[in-house]
Amino acid sequence: MSKGRFGKFGGQFVPETLMPALAELEEAFETARHDVAFQKEYQTLLNSFVGRPTPLYFAKRLTELCGGAKIYFKREDLAHTGAHKINNALGQGLLAKRMGKSRIVAETGAGQHGVATAATCAMLGLECIVYMGTDDIKRQQPNVFRMKLLGAQVCEVNAGSRTLKDAINEALRDWVTNVRTTHYLLGSALGPHPYPTMVREFQCVIGREAKAQLMDAEGKLPAALIACVGGGSNSIGLFDAFRHDKQVAMIGVEAGGAGIESGKHAARFADRSIGVLHGTYTYLLNDADGQIRETHSVSAGLDYAAVGPEHADLFESERAGYTFATDAEALDAFQKISHLEGIIPALESAHAVAEALKRAPRMSKDEIVIVNLSGRGDKDLQTVMSVLEMGD
Amino acid sequence: MNRIDETFQALQGKRAALMPYLPLGYPTLPISRELIRAAEDAGADILELGVPFSDPLADGPVIQHATQVALENGMTLHKCIEMVQDARAHGVRIPLVLMGYYNPILRYDLKKFARDALEGGVDGVIVPDLPIEEADDLQDAARAHNLNVIFLAAPTSSQERLKKIGRETRGFLYLVSLTGTTGQRDALPPGLEEFVRRAREATSKPVCVGFGIGSTDSARRVAQIADGVIVGSALVAKIGDASSAVENARQFISELREATATAQLKNAPDS
């Protein structure tokens, strides 16, 4: 009877109050997906509002440094509001409007999804409430101010670990309470069905563009795709167009935090535990009693205890491989590509770059790697400054 | 017949069951143990016992706080079952129902949970984040041990869903009175009577109402239309962290019992 499974993962583990809302959302999404007018409006705004297509950029100096595979960046950092999050926020915003829901709630970790949602709501004339953990508010001040400028109400969440997980709890509580008038604009490929599928469909434009752009530039497929994985939306967005090209390796990079052995990380696949959090059955970090563990990462966007259920299935079927980068490795990559390529990446995306730095040197020069540069790093300057100063 | 069915049968046509909710491990483990016995003495007909979870997304601030205190006190699902066992050893005879989120039960192992719970003296389990569509595994495990899996219905549930949920639930149907999280409200939600009527149309099983029942007056009015009255946050708030926790609980439960027992029954199910 369960719906929305990827292999054995996924499902709809939510209070009964939300089940009818999920059914309504699924139906609206399925109709919109095949509706020419909806698709046209979405595509037009992806071009004119978001600035798509985003470029595929050849990172020449980084490639020379590594001395192996050619490294390309998919420049989602150049999308409006500074990250891939806007692709999904725009899609769901249009869907909410179509469903007659005038009030939007969202969660945010790094603030990128919150900003994307706030911008979308401003443009579409929707009320916007963003839940954000107190700890994340502290480390992502510029994004908090951005959301407010865009007319959103930012609600501080002071429960639990005061990060993304707790922001999702609070957004879900709001949705349960105001379900009849409100759409929950979930920002990653996680949560109950239909979110993982819907978010993927609104993000798969990343991989579709990248594939066509690389064909133009090089006339062939990449040997590998690399993307960071928090909930997993930028990675699934890149991977989706290549999933049937078996020769293309897909690598997801989780937050290794202070190192796996320290216990302070968000590497769900390194821990190998499966359970239910926020409506979905997937790999997650929990203790022996089933309590959700606190996670740690220098990047707020990867600091989450569960991974999107489709990634769990890609991991189990071995279609994709998952690894992690530590805080230190991400910070190193952050500085390297700032120096070498003139691009300041989001700390989340720096995790993917860190993996490219490890992997490209071992590959041959006629192979190609695409790294998803999922966001820009302006929001992280404060964090990086304080970490580097401490290191001096 | 199990304890839950017996209880409703004995009360049918007389009065609604009073069903207080106690978060296990709150405010301390020893007081929590005492509270179970005090609740029975004060007139509880069935007890709902909360199993703490780190991410209680269906709960409002009062139960969230109690949950956090319980976790800090080292409460686990394993210890919850032990606490029920202890209550039975002290002669508690009313039905005891565990209420907790799915992940700790999953992590415990569903079959082992069903067996240990029943052996420990648990009569049923309520899992707020487990809708009927996802419950097959837990139901299979529970059936093998004759443990009741009790489902929730919400005001947003269609008549068709109410019927399905009514078919799946065992012991009673738990009506969530409002769209929202747990927590006391000043007044009962406006559509409640209609919701109870829809539920009665969908099932012949006992219909109990919870979420938001904040006062003896609300409890009295719910007792007029439903087979059971569930009071959680209001009771938890009364218990507080104080040393007089047990006395406070005893007093409030007695008042609730008085209120529900004197309620004039209307809409009683046809028998």
Side-chain angles (χ1 to χ4, degrees):
Chain A
M1 275 172 64
S2 174
K3 267 186 175 174
R5 293 279 177 159
F6 304 91
K8 65 180 183 186
F9 301 102
Q12 296 181 306
F13 296 85
V14 296
E16 169 62 21
T17 311
L18 294 179
M19 289 301 281
L22 291 175
E24 183 193 359
L25 179 59
E26 182 184 10
E27 200 189 317
F29 170 63
E30 287 302 329
T31 314
R33 196 174 175 178
H34 302 107
D35 180 75
V36 178
F38 178 87
Q39 287 301 337
K40 195 175 166 218
E41 190 181 10
Y42 179 52
Q43 288 306 328
T44 304
L45 286 169
L46 277 182
N47 299 339
S48 62
F49 185 66
V50 176
R52 303 206 72 88
T54 59
L56 185 73
Y57 166 79
F58 174 48
K60 187 161 175 285
R61 297 191 67 204
L62 193 68
T63 300
E64 282 166 8
L65 174 82
C66 291
K70 288 175 90 166
I71 301 170
Y72 277 84
F73 291 156
K74 179 59 175 164
R75 296 291 307 274
E76 291 300 297
D77 61 316
L78 293 178
H80 180 42
T81 66
H84 71 290
K85 292 290 185 190
I86 190 79
N87 304 326
N88 167 56
L90 176 64
Q92 284 194 49
L94 289 171
L95 198 61
K97 210 157 177 178
R98 206 180 146 97
M99 291 165 70
K101 310 258 178 179
S102 58
R103 184 174 176 273
I104 302 291
V105 292
E107 82 296 341
T108 199
Q112 290 303 98
H113 174 58
V115 170
T117 303
T120 299
C121 288
M123 191 262 294
L124 295 174
L126 300 167
E127 186 187 352
C128 180
I129 293 102
V130 180
Y131 290 95
M132 189 170 188
T134 319
D135 283 8
D136 288 340
I137 287 181
K138 260 184 237 148
R139 56 180 165 173
Q140 310 282 197
Q141 270 301 320
N143 272 346
V144 175
F145 188 58
R146 238 172 240 140
M147 284 184 268
K148 288 180 179 166
L149 276 178
L150 291 162
Q153 184 191 337
V154 180
C155 296
E156 201 168 305
V157 180
N158 204 11
S161 58
R162 296 175 297 273
T163 58
L164 181 57
K165 164 175 90 76
D166 312 282
I168 295 178
N169 289 339
E170 215 48 47
L172 280 166
R173 289 184 188 117
D174 183 314
W175 196 31
V176 164
T177 307
N178 302 295
V179 62
R180 292 183 174 105
T181 58
T182 299
H183 172 65
Y184 179 19
L185 209 162
L186 182 55
S188 196
L190 44 87
H193 175 71
Y195 284 102
T197 300
M198 182 169 68
V199 174
R200 180 195 70 212
E201 288 305 303
F202 287 134
Q203 291 293 1
C204 67
V205 61
I206 302 172
R208 244 185 5 243
E209 283 177 9
K211 195 172 183 177
Q213 288 165 326
L214 192 68
M215 277 297 172
D216 277 351
E218 299 274 354
K220 63 175 181 182
L221 288 170
L225 308 170
I226 303 178
C228 64
V229 184
S233 72
N234 90 78
S235 45
I236 206 75
L238 177 65
F239 293 173
D240 190 59
F242 298 90
R243 71 168 69 220
H244 301 299
D245 303 309
K246 298 288 182 210
Q247 68 272 42
V248 180
M250 310 196 304
I251 298 122
V253 187
E254 298 185 287
I260 302 304
E261 61 292 335
S262 74
K264 293 174 79 177
H265 61 84
R268 292 70 46 108
F269 291 120
D271 195 72
R272 300 288 168 103
S273 181
I274 298 172
V276 167
L277 178 65
H278 295 144
T280 194
Y281 180 72
T282 188
Y283 279 81
L284 49 67
L285 294 173
N286 66 169
D287 67 17
D289 296 308
Q291 308 300 340
I292 305 305
R293 266 170 50 190
E294 293 208 356
T295 51
H296 170 84
S297 171
V298 70
S299 82
L302 303 183
D303 204 350
Y304 180 63
V307 69
E310 193 165 10
H311 286 289
D313 186 47
L314 288 171
F315 171 78
E316 203 128 300
S317 67
E318 297 182 0
R319 176 61 191 93
Y322 294 83
T323 181
F324 59 86
T326 62
D327 286 353
E329 289 167 335
L331 283 162
D332 177 58
F334 180 94
Q335 294 172 82
K336 273 210 176 87
I337 77 157
S338 298
H339 279 272
L340 287 173
E341 298 293 348
I343 297 168
I344 300 174
L347 277 172
E348 290 78 12
S349 319
H351 284 71
V353 176
E355 176 60 19
L357 288 170
K358 291 181 209 167
R359 194 171 284 256
R362 304 197 305 262
M363 296 170 71
S364 84
K365 288 189 173 177
D366 54 8
E367 287 183 305
I368 297 163
V369 171
I370 298 178
V371 177
N372 200 11
L373 216 74
S374 54
R376 56 195 267 175
D378 308 47
K379 67 179 176 68
D380 295 314
L381 296 183
Q382 204 183 329
T383 304
V384 176
M385 259 190 304
S386 64
V387 173
L388 294 184
E389 273 164 16
M390 278 197 310
D392 279 348
Chain B
M1 203 190 310
N2 63 59
R3 272 186 284 247
I4 297 176
D5 295 342
E6 281 170 8
T7 300
F8 283 111
Q9 203 163 72
L11 293 177
Q12 189 168 16
K14 298 192 183 89
R15 61 177 177 86
L18 174 62
M19 307 162 71
Y21 168 97
L22 295 169
L24 290 180
Y26 174 82
T28 66
L29 267 62
I31 295 177
S32 186
R33 267 189 214 100
E34 248 185 280
L35 281 167
I36 298 176
R37 307 199 288 268
E40 183 181 44
D41 289 346
D45 296 298
I46 296 175
L47 270 183
E48 267 180 38
L49 302 173
V51 180
F53 180 51
S54 53
D55 295 83
L57 54 86
D59 286 303
V62 171
I63 293 179
Q64 281 180 49
H65 168 74
T67 291
Q68 204 151 353
V69 171
L71 287 173
E72 282 159 17
N73 290 339
M75 204 59 201
T76 63
L77 178 53
H78 189 79
K79 287 183 187 166
C80 288
I81 295 172
E82 277 178 4
M83 226 177 238
V84 169
Q85 214 161 12
D86 174 75
R88 294 294 183 212
H90 281 83
V92 171
R93 297 178 60 177
I94 55 175
L96 300 175
V97 174
L98 291 182
M99 181 163 186
Y101 294 84
Y102 196 42
N103 198 57
I105 301 173
L106 203 55
R107 182 77 199 225
Y108 192 99
D109 184 88
L110 300 180
K111 288 194 182 109
K112 191 165 162 285
F113 165 74
R115 190 196 60 212
D116 291 358
L118 195 90
E119 281 176 6
V122 174
D123 300 287
V125 59
I126 305 170
V127 187
D129 58 346
L130 196 70
I132 46 172
E133 283 82 354
E134 301 291 355
D136 289 359
D137 293 346
L138 179 62
Q139 284 176 298
D140 287 347
R143 214 169 282 130
H145 296 278
N146 210 20
L147 184 73
N148 294 292
V149 179
I150 297 149
F151 288 97
L152 302 112
T156 51
S157 310
S158 65
Q159 202 58 25
E160 192 191 341
R161 278 192 74 81
L162 283 180
K163 277 187 198 147
K164 276 192 205 161
I165 300 168
R167 263 200 303 278
E168 297 299 324
T169 198
R170 302 255 319 258
F172 62 92
L173 178 63
Y174 187 136
L175 298 193
V176 177
S177 74
L178 43 79
T179 57
T181 53
T182 58
Q184 56 196 112
R185 314 290 200 275
D186 293 335
L188 290 173
L192 183 60
E193 209 158 327
E194 167 65 11
F195 181 32
V196 173
R197 194 193 55 72
R198 286 207 297 129
R200 292 222 187 271
E201 229 171 73
T203 180
S204 57
K205 290 172 188 162
V207 166
C208 304
V209 176
F211 280 48
I213 302 173
S215 63
T216 47
D217 187 50
S218 293
R220 179 182 300 112
R221 282 194 285 139
V222 171
Q224 290 173 344
I225 55 171
D227 304 311
V229 183
I230 302 159
V231 180
S233 296
L235 173 60
V236 176
K238 284 267 197 297
I239 291 172
D241 298 329
S243 53
S244 55
V246 177
E247 240 353 274
N248 295 352
R250 198 188 293 272
Q251 164 111 23
F252 188 50
I253 292 169
S254 309
E255 288 166 16
L256 287 168
R257 170 62 188 267
E258 172 71 19
T260 52
T262 55
Q264 288 292 316
L265 288 181
K266 53 179 177 180
N267 294 345
D270 303 327
S271 49

